[in-house]
Each structure stands twice: as C-alpha cells, then as structure tokens.
Amino acid sequence: MMQRIDLRGGLPARAELLRLMPRAVGDVSHAVDAARELVEDVRHRGADALHDQAERFDGGAPANVRVPVAEIAAAVAGLTPELREALDEAIRRVRAASAAQVPAGSVTTLADGAEVHQRWQPMRRVGLYVPGGKAVYPSSVVMNVVPAQVAGVRSIALVSPPQRDHGGAVHPTILAAAGLLGIDEVYAMGGAGAVGALAYGVAEIDLEPVDLVTGPGNNYVAAAKRLVRGVVGIDAEAGATEILVIADETADPGFVAADLISQAEHDEQAGSVLVTTSATFADAVEAAIPERTAVLGTAARLQTALDGPQSAIVLVDSLTDAATVSNAYGPEHLEIQTADDDAVLADIDAAGAVFVGPSTPVSLGDYLAGSNHVLPTGGQARFGSGLSASTFMRPQQVIRYSASALDGVAAHIVALSTEEQLPAHGAAVTERTNR
C-alpha cells in the first residue's frame, strides 16, 4: 500500500510542506562519502582503479576500456530494423526540438558607439554518462548526444557501465545508438569512478578531461557529479527518477496507475506521487495497481518503490492546493490529468517537464516526444532545469565602446571607483580620456 498524506483542511506553511514531501531515505547526500573514495581512487590510480571498480560494481573489467570503433560499427549493423527505425525517429524528433533551444545572439546599444553583445559559445569538450545497471538506455544516448551536437560541441566522450551479460563490454544497443549519432569515443566504465575519470582524465587510456559532465544515474553518480562540480560543469545531480501526477475525479484511474507504475520500475528508490482532490479516485488508482504490476517482470522492483517512503498519495482540497504541493515537491516529471489542465498548468512553476492531458504519459517523453528526458530530480526542479542545447553553451558578453562613448561615462566611473577606494580603476579610464 502506498502511504497517504492528508493535507485537506488547509496546507501547512511552506517549510512544513517541504518537510512532509515524500523522499527516498538514501538520497544523494548519503552517497557522497562513498562516491568521494571512488572519484579520488580514479584520480590517483587511473586505469587500475577503473579496472578494480568494474570488477567490484559492474559486469567485470572490460577487455578494452575504450571501445574499439569496429565494435561500435558491428553494434549498428546488428540492430533490428524495428529498433533502428525507432532510434532514427527519436533522434529526428529530439534534434528538431533541441534546435529551438539554441539561444539567439543580441546586441544592446546603450549610446552612440556603446555596445554590449550577447553571444553563446559551445563548450569545447563534454562527457556524457549513460546508465546501464538495471536496464539498458539507448534513449539516454540520444537525449545526451543530440543537444550537444546541436549546440556545436565538437568533442564528445560517452561512458556507460560494462555489462556482465556481455562479457564486461558496453551493451551493444548503447554502442549502436552512439554509432548512429557518429560518436566513436566510448568508454566501458560506470558509477562514480566514471564521473571522476571524465572530470580528471585518465592518461593511460588517452581520456582527456572534459569541461562538462551530463547524464542521469543512481545516487552515487549524482554524488560524484556534486563532488567534481567546480572542476567541471555538470547539468544536475540527477538521481533516482520520480513522477508526480495531479489528477481529479475526471481522470482515468487506470491511466494514472499505469503512469505511476511506469516510473516505479526504474529503480527501488524511484518516487511515484499522486496528488488528488478525491479520496474515491485515490482508492480507484490504488486498486488498479496490483493487476497491472502482477504481469510485469519488474514487479518486485516497482512494488518496493511504490511501498517506499519516496512514494505517496497526497489528498488536497483543491487543484490550486495540488499545484502548491507540486511546486514544493519540484517533480522531475509532472503529469496533469484534470477537468481543466490549462488552469492547473498556469499555477505550476517548478517541474522538470510537464505532461498535459490523458494522452501525454511520461513514457512518451522518455522516448519519442522530442523533449529531453534528462531532468532534475530530488526537488532540484525548483531551481534547475532539464538538459537542452543551451546546457552545452556558455553565454558571453562582448563589450565594444568607442573613444567618445567611453568619454561619455568617464566621470561616472571615476566617481564610483573613488567611492569604492579603487583609484586605479578610474585612472585606467582617465589615462585614455585625458589624451
């Protein structure tokens, strides 16, 4: 049974509401110490540490940490026509949606000869993490690689854990997706150590450090990203997945049950949350879950997730309150299935991605909506955003002033620098304007 949180009769103050939100007990902060040891081990011992960690955590040490190009080509050739068609279509859609995310440059003219240019420059080199523990995620290859390519990144390294079922090699479907996208720098490594390898480089395998690490993973991957932030950039600390559904009595309980289940099957720590104005509807959703889980091979995993402290049914008085609860939770995935979806959407300000209406399940966004499925988790949607082309770009201001334009603000600069007791700042201006 999913836990119930009854917030009818009036919502508590925001601080209390944040405390009441369902969260996994073993969050990213609990993984930091273990992740630090793994990252530092790779930093100091390089390839030997990667070998040891692969034996300890993954499917055994790979024969080649860097995947040979021929192996990638063979994986592409081995795709079934159905899977290749699905990947090609996903690539096409994500590429189209990502192109709309490239910010346009601009020029602001403040006076005659006084201009501030805003430009966006792609990062030189990025490292993309593709998980591979309990499932295989070629879709994550697409979601990471395509926006980086659209942004104009020229050097891309992709890492994914070695698989026991494939002799310590990267899963062939992961390799095939990389090959379809023209990526030939792929490494068989996973977990926190792989994040450390991307951040610091590993000379023995010719892995050059990257400038940005992106991609989803478990809490140890997220903790490692927290640890290397500052050495490199990161997209977000994407931990275990989560879904929050806002629904009222007009929604289909079978749809909502199926969607809660779909995210719970990712991981035992995955969070599934229903926020509803109807206790009767909540009962119907909960009753619809067992029959849908019993036939799934992932039933044990998803039931653990649904029964965990990170999953809940939350009862509220109104859809306005439901939006307030959702904003406090800051879901990675938010679904809205109500009598007036647009009215609810207008009240939403914190969500990684929003799926509106009964025909827009999160599964669509996981694969083929065109949106990106690498999204902030653990409440980070309150201040962060999902992966996009702009993630791989840096805004830069370029300033151009003529001599007359500088002369026009010289007195102001001198006045401000004098007040701040930085006379050399003013002198750098008067050196020019007094000639």
Side-chain angles (χ1 to χ4, degrees):
M1 297 286 289
M2 295 176 68
Q3 66 168 316
R4 294 209 179 187
I5 301 173
D6 195 340
L7 298 179
R8 291 172 296 183
L11 297 181
R14 184 169 174 81
E16 177 64 8
L17 185 58
L18 288 169
R19 188 189 67 78
L20 290 173
M21 290 298 95
R23 299 289 184 197
V25 174
D27 63 9
V28 173
S29 62
H30 290 81
V32 167
D33 289 341
R36 180 179 289 108
E37 290 184 11
L38 298 171
V39 168
E40 289 300 312
D41 192 26
V42 171
R43 183 180 182 185
H44 296 295
R45 294 201 303 126
D48 288 341
L50 291 172
H51 179 281
D52 293 346
Q53 291 179 24
E55 290 281 10
R56 181 180 172 190
F57 299 113
D58 299 314
N64 298 289
V65 177
R66 178 160 181 174
V67 179
V69 174
E71 197 172 319
I72 299 173
V76 173
L79 282 173
T80 64
E82 296 80 7
L83 185 52
R84 175 154 189 168
E85 183 179 351
L87 283 169
D88 284 339
E89 182 62 14
I91 290 167
R92 185 188 71 79
R93 289 175 178 242
V94 175
R95 196 176 297 282
S98 297
Q101 299 164 350
V102 177
S106 64
V107 179
T108 303
T109 301
L110 299 161
D112 187 25
E115 295 178 349
V116 176
H117 298 243
Q118 180 73 48
R119 71 174 188 173
W120 292 78
Q121 294 292 100
M123 295 188 179
R124 183 190 63 84
R125 177 168 167 78
V126 301
L128 312 179
Y129 188 94
V130 177
K134 296 180 175 66
V136 55
Y137 295 105
S139 57
S140 287
V141 178
V142 176
M143 298 296 175
N144 277 273
V145 172
V146 171
Q149 290 178 330
V150 168
V153 177
R154 296 188 179 276
S155 180
I156 298 175
L158 188 147
V159 302
S160 190
Q163 302 292 304
R164 181 170 289 104
D165 292 343
H166 296 279
V170 173
H171 195 288
T173 311
I174 298 295
L175 296 180
L180 288 176
L181 288 161
I183 302 300
D184 61 9
E185 187 181 351
V186 181
Y187 299 89
M189 60 176 77
V195 174
L198 289 171
Y200 294 105
V202 181
E204 304 98 303
I205 56 174
D206 296 322
L207 173 55
E208 181 187 351
V210 302
D211 301 314
L212 175 75
V213 177
T214 75
N218 60 23
N219 283 337
Y220 294 96
V221 171
K225 289 167 76 175
R226 176 182 294 183
L227 293 168
V228 300
R229 172 182 262 165
V231 177
V232 295
I234 65 169
D235 54 342
E237 297 174 9
T241 191
E242 62 204 22
I243 179 175
L244 186 147
V245 181
I246 295 177
D248 60 17
E249 68 280 355
T250 68
D252 186 313
F255 288 179
V256 173
D259 295 346
L260 295 173
I261 291 167
S262 72
Q263 293 307 296
E265 76 174 344
H266 274 285
D267 188 273
E268 287 86 352
Q269 289 191 319
S272 294
V273 180
L274 168 62
V275 182
T276 181
T277 53
S278 169
T280 301
F281 178 79
D283 292 340
V285 171
E286 195 156 37
I289 288 176
E291 64 187 87
R292 287 165 172 78
T293 60
V295 297
L296 300 174
T298 52
R301 181 195 311 157
L302 66 85
Q303 197 59 58
T304 298
L306 291 172
D307 292 342
Q310 72 274 19
S311 298
I313 294 174
V314 182
L315 298 173
V316 293
D317 288 322
S318 67
L319 291 176
T320 299
D321 284 354
T324 300
V325 169
S326 179
N327 288 331
Y329 182 80
E332 177 189 18
H333 307 101
L334 168 63
E335 287 188 0
I336 303 175
Q337 299 183 42
T338 66
D340 193 347
D341 295 336
D342 287 337
V344 176
L345 180 61
D347 288 335
I348 296 300
D349 57 47
V354 185
F355 299 80
V356 181
S359 298
T360 319
V362 165
S363 296
L364 177 66
D366 281 343
Y367 297 112
L368 231 74
S371 57
N372 204 292
H373 77 201
V374 182
L375 302 165
T377 62
Q380 293 181 88
R382 292 184 290 112
F383 50 82
S385 57
L387 198 67
S388 71
S390 61
T391 304
F392 298 94
M393 307 183 79
R394 299 153 297 172
Q396 296 176 340
Q397 296 182 86
V398 180
I399 301 93
R400 296 180 184 273
Y401 268 59
S402 65
S404 60
L406 178 62
D407 187 61
V409 295
H412 298 318
I413 294 172
V414 170
L416 288 167
S417 65
T418 299
E419 177 63 23
E420 294 184 355
Q421 299 182 36
L422 298 170
H425 282 62
V429 173
T430 56
E431 176 78 20
R432 292 165 168 80
T433 57
N434 288 342
R435 289 192 177 185

